[in-house]
Amino acid sequence: MRHEGLIWLAACALLACAGPALATCTLAKYGTLSVEMIGERPTTLVKVNGVVTRFTIDTGAWFSFMSRANAEALGLKPVPAPFGFRMGGIGGSAIAEIATIKNLGILDTDLHNVDFVVGGSDAGEGSLGANLLDFADLEIDLAHGKVTLFKPDGCRKSALAYWVKDGDTYNVADLHPSYNLNDRRSFVDVTINGKTIRALLDSGAVATLLDRRAAKRVGIDLHGPGVRPGGRIHGLGEKTYQSWIVPIDKFSVGTETIQHSEMLVMDGNFGDGSNDMILGVDFMLAHHMYIANSQRKLYFTYNGGRVFSLDTTSIGAHESAAANGAGGEPKTATDYALRGQARLARGELANALADLDAAIRLDPSSADDHLIRARILLAQKHPDAAMEDLDKALSLDPKNLAALLLRASLRHRKKDAAGAAADLAVAQKLAPAGSMQSRYIASLYVAIGEPANAVPLLDAWIHVHRDDSSLGSALNERCWARALANQALKDALHDCRDAIKRDGDRAAYLDSLGMVYLRIGNYAESIKAYQQALARSPHAAWSHYGLGLAELHSGQTDAGSAELKMARSLDKQIDARAAKFGLGAPVGSPAKASSAQPSR
């Protein structure tokens, strides 16, 4: 990779650093990336061959990368990577290719012929990795929407927490290099319950995470008191892992100690053994950080509020004073919006709303700010106010894809299938084929009762995601859509079987399989699949309903009637939902009609 343009960047304005410790130290500012928190992902806008696109800032990626779908959407042409080269991460390894961006616009300049690794699971955007971010010192201030790259001069013995006022304290930790000389990522030692392990600073991870091997080393018993199941963890590779939420008595990094917190433990390991733990974006949002690669030191101060995403008791605690001290009050609409997005990511909804109100007062013409405020209002359970903001956003920017998708989802929730379909029709023209947005459109088409429209979108997504960790769920989704539409049932059967082969006998997959067999008329196999689904998810109305229909068609009148009764007790509108797709009890069997749109 070549870095033309960095000489120009080094000529940017010098910062005179305040404080006696920095009297002889200056920091040459390469530039600042404006960071928008989209959910729990820190993102920034760059130009790829002149086209503005969004990338995730991912300090946990040793090299910048993107999925094949991202590469195709950007018009890039990946070529095979050198023989034997594979991508590795959570979930295993994946086949890798290389795509070269001729002109990458970043930090107000162009870098030429920049290589990206292509492959692995799709996170929705490409990622800027440590090879681009950690060639210099890196300041990460996600709470104020900024990542800045510095070149220090004369700062070898200076404390580089330059934002700290005289008399205030800061934390410091030693940085450790990777075992791989080509890996620029940052590692620190952390202590959990008195035991030291190695952690990676990973802004691309949505939550702080321990692997099971490290959890055992620090004495965490996954069968102990206070441990409860978490969700499934997925990353770059094909596999997904079960997780647990565990109590942590004492956690320390450098000079900072946190008492009585909770973290996620993954039922797997991080692959190459370079780290035991990931300090995710939740930890970074809670701190103002300076990664001093020039000194192999990490300087950081606490912003207030929760440090780990699972800690809901300290949301907003000490947040206002700490955040203001670290970065000062915003001055522009953009500053308010960036801080508001960070606060939304941390669950600080009231403060986030206040920031977006201020941003919109300063600049009412920003469609994106109305979209952000709509997300906050939805999180606060104010759907009507959110709809007003979405309508305003789309009046300002009718092609705002994110606003279209959010409004379509909200219209579906409000039982406005026609309005949702109208938004999806526009969104479908804007979303790149095979993108994560196109898959979301497919899921909404199924939800509003138009499964046939979902199938071609899922076809395109599956075609470019053969190594993706969520391929199994996409295959199941296509199986379900085909079964509801009563189309290509042999293909649907293959989809369901492939999904189960990849991910195991999940209840949703077995439910879809039962529906396909019901459509085909193989009632014995349908009954078997539905019974297996209900053994895993006993309160699934669709599974009870499908089982009841299969049993009635098999002549098991009493059993079938009992299952239909159970389904109706769980979902009073299920007869109408089923009738939408031509499903119903045989003549002479109990049935009940109502008017409602279908959803699973």
Side-chain angles (χ1 to χ4, degrees):
M1 179 183 299
R2 287 178 281 176
H3 293 292
E4 290 94 340
L6 294 186
I7 295 175
W8 181 91
L9 285 170
C12 290
L14 293 178
L15 294 181
C17 299
L22 299 179
T24 61
C25 170
T26 56
L27 299 176
K29 188 176 181 181
Y30 285 92
T32 297
L33 296 172
S34 180
V35 181
E36 297 180 61
M37 292 300 302
I38 306 297
E40 293 84 22
R41 294 192 179 277
T43 69
T44 193
L45 294 177
V46 300
K47 287 185 177 180
V48 175
N49 298 329
V51 177
V52 176
T53 189
R54 188 174 299 280
F55 275 61
T56 297
I57 294 173
D58 189 353
T59 60
W62 76 274
F63 205 88
S64 301
F65 72 97
M66 65 181 71
S67 70
R68 170 163 273 281
N70 296 143
E72 290 192 3
L74 292 169
L76 303 177
K77 296 181 179 180
V79 298
F83 179 76
F85 181 84
R86 292 178 66 87
M87 305 173 67
I90 292 176
S93 63
I95 296 172
E97 297 178 292
I98 303 295
T100 301
I101 297 176
K102 291 183 179 180
N103 294 290
L104 177 64
I106 185 171
L107 296 175
D108 297 322
T109 192
D110 284 335
L111 304 181
H112 303 299
N113 299 318
V114 180
D115 290 336
F116 276 68
V117 177
V118 176
S121 296
D122 192 348
E125 304 96 13
S127 291
L128 301 176
N131 64 307
L132 286 177
L133 298 172
D134 279 297
F135 71 88
D137 283 7
L138 187 67
E139 179 191 10
I140 300 177
D141 184 12
L142 298 184
H144 293 89
K146 296 185 295 184
V147 168
T148 304
L149 281 76
F150 288 106
K151 180 181 179 181
D153 182 25
C155 302
R156 179 65 62 181
K157 297 182 180 180
S158 299
L160 296 180
Y162 69 88
W163 61 91
V164 176
K165 297 177 181 178
D166 289 342
D168 290 344
T169 60
Y170 59 88
N171 300 293
V172 63
D174 291 329
L175 290 177
H176 299 295
S178 170
Y179 302 129
N180 184 338
L181 295 178
N182 296 317
D183 184 355
R184 291 175 172 164
R185 293 179 298 171
S186 299
F187 300 86
V188 294
D189 284 341
V190 303
T191 303
I192 296 179
N193 300 339
K195 303 289 181 64
T196 299
I197 58 175
R198 183 182 174 100
L200 168 67
L201 296 175
D202 188 354
S203 60
V206 299
T208 294
L209 180 67
L210 275 164
D211 72 12
R212 184 163 187 166
R213 181 173 50 197
K216 184 177 180 180
R217 282 171 49 198
V218 301
I220 294 173
D221 180 4
L222 295 181
H223 302 287
V227 176
R228 59 191 190 276
R232 295 198 70 83
I233 301 292
H234 63 87
L236 185 143
E238 294 184 28
K239 295 180 182 178
T240 63
Y241 299 103
Q242 180 60 45
S243 69
W244 291 270
I245 301 168
V246 301
I248 303 294
D249 290 335
K250 185 177 180 181
F251 169 87
S252 298
V253 53
T255 54
E256 181 180 73
T257 296
I258 299 163
Q259 305 276 0
H260 308 304
S261 58
E262 288 186 320
M263 294 182 192
L264 279 174
V265 172
M266 175 182 73
D267 189 16
N269 302 316
F270 291 129
D272 62 0
S274 60
N275 58 292
D276 308 301
M277 180 181 186
I278 286 172
L279 289 176
V281 75
D282 51 353
F283 183 86
M284 293 186 173
L285 277 165
H287 296 90
H288 189 161
M289 310 175 72
Y290 188 101
I291 300 174
N293 290 306
S294 58
Q295 298 179 347
R296 305 309 304 168
K297 296 284 186 184
L298 170 67
Y299 298 92
F300 58 107
T301 55
Y302 174 50
N303 287 334
R306 65 182 181 186
V307 175
F308 303 118
S309 60
L310 298 174
D311 178 12
T312 58
T313 60
S314 59
I315 290 178
H318 316 296
E319 189 272 338
S320 181
N324 291 343
E329 275 297 312
K331 296 180 176 60
T332 68
T334 298
D335 292 340
Y336 275 109
L338 291 174
R339 190 176 72 173
Q341 285 175 288
R343 284 172 158 175
L344 172 60
R346 300 189 71 198
E348 296 160 1
L349 301 182
N351 286 335
L353 183 60
D355 278 343
L356 266 297
D357 286 343
I360 290 170
R361 280 195 301 271
L362 290 170
D363 180 11
S365 65
S366 170
D368 285 338
D369 288 355
H370 285 282
L371 169 61
I372 298 164
R373 190 166 69 177
R375 289 175 176 148
I376 298 168
L377 290 166
L378 282 174
Q380 291 181 318
K381 303 187 187 305
H382 299 310
D384 292 338
M387 183 66 82
E388 291 180 10
D389 263 322
L390 290 171
D391 289 342
K392 182 63 176 178
L394 288 165
S395 72
L396 293 166
D397 180 8
K399 294 184 178 181
N400 189 311
L401 179 57
L404 283 165
L405 294 180
L406 188 56
R407 190 171 71 174
S409 175
L410 186 53
R411 282 176 161 173
H412 164 58
R413 285 168 51 184
K414 289 176 168 288
K415 312 298 183 186
D416 179 9
D423 281 341
L424 293 178
V426 178
Q428 186 174 346
K429 296 176 182 178
L430 299 172
S435 65
M436 296 300 287
Q437 295 97 325
S438 69
R439 183 176 171 188
Y440 184 61
I441 293 169
S443 69
L444 286 176
Y445 269 131
V446 173
I448 66 172
E450 298 184 14
N453 288 337
V455 173
L457 295 170
L458 291 168
D459 288 343
W461 192 92
I462 289 168
H463 177 70
V464 293
H465 289 86
R466 288 295 177 183
D467 292 327
D468 201 282
S469 60
S470 59
L471 176 60
S473 64
L475 288 167
N476 173 67
E477 195 169 3
R478 189 170 66 178
C479 171
W480 176 249
R482 283 170 163 165
L484 287 181
N486 203 16
Q487 297 176 358
L489 295 178
K490 288 185 178 179
D491 292 334
L493 191 58
H494 286 303
D495 281 343
C496 273
R497 287 172 173 169
D498 287 346
I500 291 169
K501 183 178 180 180
R502 285 181 62 88
D503 296 343
D505 294 336
R506 297 185 182 180
Y509 297 8
L510 292 164
D511 177 79
S512 300
L513 183 63
M515 177 64 74
V516 175
Y517 279 128
L518 180 65
R519 289 291 204 188
I520 291 173
N522 189 337
Y523 302 122
E525 289 297 324
S526 180
I527 290 170
K528 179 181 176 182
Y530 278 128
Q531 287 175 337
Q532 290 175 332
L534 287 167
R536 292 158 176 79
S537 181
H539 302 295
W542 265 109
S543 294
H544 282 290
Y545 198 84
L547 176 58
L549 295 182
E551 287 175 336
L552 289 174
H553 280 289
S554 299
Q556 303 175 41
T557 304
D558 291 342
S561 297
E563 290 296 336
L564 291 182
K565 183 178 179 180
M566 174 61 75
R568 290 165 183 148
S569 71
L570 294 168
D571 181 356
K572 292 180 172 53
Q573 308 299 324
I574 196 164
D575 285 298
R577 299 179 196 279
K580 173 78 174 182
F581 304 107
L583 293 165
V587 176
S589 299
K592 184 177 181 180
S594 63
S595 58
Q597 293 301 317
S599 65
R600 195 169 190 177

